[in-house]
Amino acid sequence: DNIRHVLQKVRNDSTRFQQVNFRYNEKDPLSMGLCVDLVSVGVSLRFSAITQRLESIAVLSLERLELTYMGNVFSTPSMPPTVLLLHKRFGPTAPGFVDKVDKTFVVSYPGISFSFTVPDSKIDDANLDTTQLVLSKLHIFKKESLSASSIRAKQSHPTVLVNPGQGVTVFGLQLLDNKDEFENQRSKRRGTLTFQSRPQDVLSLFGAPDSIFPKAKDLLQIHRRQHKGQNRHPNYRDYFYNFFELGIDILFDGQSQKIKKIILHTNLPTHPTFNQYSKCFYNIVPPNAQNADAEGPPVYVTPDMKWDKVTQVFGPAGQPFVSPGADDNPFGGSHYYAYKDIIFEVMDNDMYTANITLFNSEFYR
């Protein structure tokens, strides 16, 4: 599950999850995992900062939960299990070891590890009787490795190939037979949207949008190219199709009914819209990819690339437009850097991209 799905479930059950803490590296949000601490139930969830998918679950407060395995209760708030009871419930496994830093005895099975409290006086005891040690916490993770943070989740999200000025091609799109059953049978598709595409093209590729939002003002209308004898009707309003699950917004021209802009969101933790969208995994075709004389294969720009690396691919950025952000936004403002047919919104520290806006500059000439 990704972090957006989990936080939605937490928000929808506020009675159970009364206190929730969110932790991440403020200086470099993608350098470490994202942690959601469900304080009221004593559980901590760790997500990959890159894929934003759940990597591990730590149960840190057993006195608040009842735990079962294959339908059988093995831990209650009043009676946490001993090592001996655990072996009876889960069966044999590799010998455990003493973690002297954590002061626990660790017993591991595929996908789960149990930590039992060791008294200070017994930490260095070579003849430690571990059978009656009491469980204090446990960690659940993927079976492939005991180090959950080292596991990269299998790709289960669509990838968007971006050609600035032309459009996007979406690979690995999953369409559900029943939108209410997320694990129902799926079919993977690919499709292309250009700035000549219309709403029916988008609907056939993505399905119904999560929201349709009319645009109140078009501040760039003064720059729009207008051919001789062609007047824009004042009652035609541009409108958005919002696909929160895909991390994509599409703006249609109210008069021509063609795509005007495509916005791809990275769901960056330091952005005000964090958790409104799932992360969009895009690959931007660099400007020199069309150049037959370019040396070597192109280096695609991804949402996890730092801004200084992006400028190495796209070239030096000019003076940005600066948005100070709202008064209640603790993360600061944004810088908007414009290249031909693409605008990058970069957070105030000029480290990572929050979203990209694609358009066809011919439309505004």
Side-chain angles (χ1 to χ4, degrees):
D1 225 342
N2 68 30
I3 193 169
R4 179 172 177 267
H5 295 156
V6 171
L7 289 179
Q8 283 179 335
K9 294 175 183 177
V10 170
R11 185 181 294 111
N12 292 336
D13 196 356
S14 58
T15 302
R16 177 184 299 178
F17 306 112
Q18 297 181 3
Q19 182 180 350
V20 180
N21 296 334
F22 178 56
R23 296 182 287 118
Y24 64 96
N25 187 329
E26 295 184 16
K27 294 182 178 179
D28 189 345
L30 302 188
S31 65
M32 298 175 61
L34 311 176
C35 294
V36 177
D37 298 326
L38 307 177
V39 180
S40 53
V41 295
V43 173
S44 181
L45 309 176
R46 182 183 175 90
F47 300 81
S48 165
I50 303 300
T51 66
Q52 297 195 348
R53 298 190 68 82
L54 182 63
E55 287 190 327
S56 66
I57 302 171
V59 180
L60 306 174
S61 182
L62 296 175
E63 66 269 15
R64 303 179 186 181
L65 298 171
E66 181 177 275
L67 304 178
T68 64
Y69 175 66
M70 298 182 66
N72 297 314
V73 176
F74 70 90
S75 178
T76 65
S78 60
M79 189 175 295
T82 61
V83 174
L84 183 61
L85 178 60
L86 188 79
H87 281 306
K88 289 181 179 180
R89 287 285 187 268
F90 284 78
T93 187
F97 65 93
V98 174
D99 184 338
K100 293 186 178 181
V101 176
D102 198 34
K103 297 181 180 179
T104 58
F105 178 71
V106 181
V107 178
S108 297
Y109 291 84
I112 189 169
S113 67
F114 300 89
S115 298
F116 298 81
T117 302
V118 178
D120 291 346
S121 60
K122 300 290 186 178
I123 287 293
D124 297 314
D125 188 350
N127 298 315
L128 174 67
D129 179 11
T130 62
T131 58
Q132 298 305 314
L133 297 179
V134 177
L135 182 66
S136 58
K137 59 186 175 182
L138 61 91
H139 293 80
I140 305 169
F141 43 82
K142 282 201 170 186
K143 290 185 179 181
E144 290 87 338
S145 171
L146 295 180
S147 178
S149 61
S150 66
I151 300 170
R152 297 186 66 86
K154 294 181 179 179
Q155 181 171 322
S156 59
H157 51 74
T159 300
V160 181
L161 182 65
V162 176
N163 282 280
Q166 300 177 34
V168 298
T169 299
V170 185
F171 298 88
L173 187 65
Q174 299 175 343
L175 296 182
L176 307 187
D177 295 337
N178 184 338
K179 194 171 183 179
D180 294 330
E181 298 180 10
F182 187 79
E183 294 302 328
N184 203 355
Q185 292 184 349
R186 311 174 180 188
S187 58
K188 289 190 176 183
R189 304 181 54 188
R190 59 169 289 180
T192 299
L193 297 174
T194 71
F195 293 101
Q196 297 298 313
S197 298
R198 299 176 184 271
Q200 57 267 33
D201 301 312
V202 176
L203 294 173
S204 66
L205 181 61
F206 293 155
D210 297 305
S211 175
I212 299 177
F213 181 77
K215 188 176 182 181
K217 295 180 180 180
D218 187 355
L219 300 180
L220 295 179
Q221 182 62 35
I222 191 172
H223 300 288
R224 186 178 185 272
R225 186 176 187 178
Q226 183 169 309
H227 298 285
K228 184 178 181 180
Q230 182 185 42
N231 295 317
R232 183 174 177 85
H233 196 285
N235 292 332
Y236 288 127
R237 295 177 63 185
D238 297 346
Y239 56 95
F240 283 100
Y241 275 8
N242 306 119
F243 297 92
F244 301 124
E245 188 63 33
L246 297 174
I248 298 175
D249 292 328
I250 297 178
L251 177 67
F252 292 96
D253 182 83
Q255 182 162 318
S256 70
Q257 299 298 310
K258 295 180 181 179
I259 291 180
K260 190 173 180 180
K261 295 178 183 177
I262 301 173
I263 304 173
L264 309 180
H265 300 266
T266 67
N267 198 33
L268 201 65
T270 56
H271 194 267
T273 62
F274 173 69
N275 204 49
Q276 184 175 345
Y277 298 85
S278 292
K279 182 176 182 177
C280 180
F281 294 84
Y282 57 74
N283 289 274
I284 307 174
V285 178
N288 64 351
Q290 305 293 336
N291 183 0
D293 297 330
E295 296 182 1
V299 178
Y300 295 100
V301 172
T302 68
D304 310 315
M305 191 176 287
K306 291 187 177 181
W307 180 241
D308 59 343
K309 299 296 184 182
V310 176
T311 58
Q312 290 178 18
V313 177
F314 270 80
Q319 191 71 16
F321 291 98
V322 179
S323 173
D327 293 338
D328 58 350
N329 174 21
F331 306 115
S334 299
H335 293 170
Y336 295 86
Y337 295 94
Y339 292 88
K340 188 179 188 309
D341 301 319
I342 186 170
I343 296 175
F344 294 85
E345 180 186 354
V346 183
M347 295 310 295
D348 200 28
N349 60 1
D350 277 352
M351 182 166 289
Y352 290 107
T353 301
N355 61 61
I356 62 172
T357 300
L358 311 171
F359 58 95
N360 189 328
S361 54
E362 293 296 323
F363 186 85
Y364 295 97
R365 291 181 179 176

